[in-house]
Amino acid sequence: LGNTGVGENFPPLLDQSGVYIAAQLNAWRSGTRKNDPNDLMGHIARSLSDTEIKDLSAYFAGLGGEGKP
């Protein structure tokens, strides 16, 4: 799913930088980003620790093949 996205509400994560992914997860977690249907990402992000956000961001950034941090 991270490579392809799901419809127009959930874009693909492929080729996004780890910095961007972490920033978006932190924005959902803090409530400054609220543009997802039914607060799905907000709900998920609020359950993540700082370490989990860092690890997820690095993982998804690495899927693009360029290993962006």
Side-chain angles (χ1 to χ4, degrees):
L1 286 177
N3 291 345
T4 60
V6 180
E8 60 186 52
N9 290 317
F10 300 99
L13 296 176
L14 187 65
D15 291 330
Q16 297 292 345
S17 75
V19 171
Y20 175 80
I21 294 169
Q24 301 316 302
L25 288 170
N26 282 314
W28 272 306
R29 185 168 64 167
S30 71
T32 58
R33 181 170 181 174
K34 299 178 180 187
N35 65 326
D36 57 317
N38 300 317
D39 192 37
L40 178 63
M41 286 303 302
H43 178 74
I44 292 167
R46 286 188 295 276
S47 72
L48 298 173
S49 69
D50 289 340
T51 300
E52 289 169 325
I53 287 178
K54 179 183 170 196
D55 291 345
L56 283 167
S57 300
Y59 171 77
F60 280 110
L63 292 178
E66 296 181 30
K68 297 176 194 170

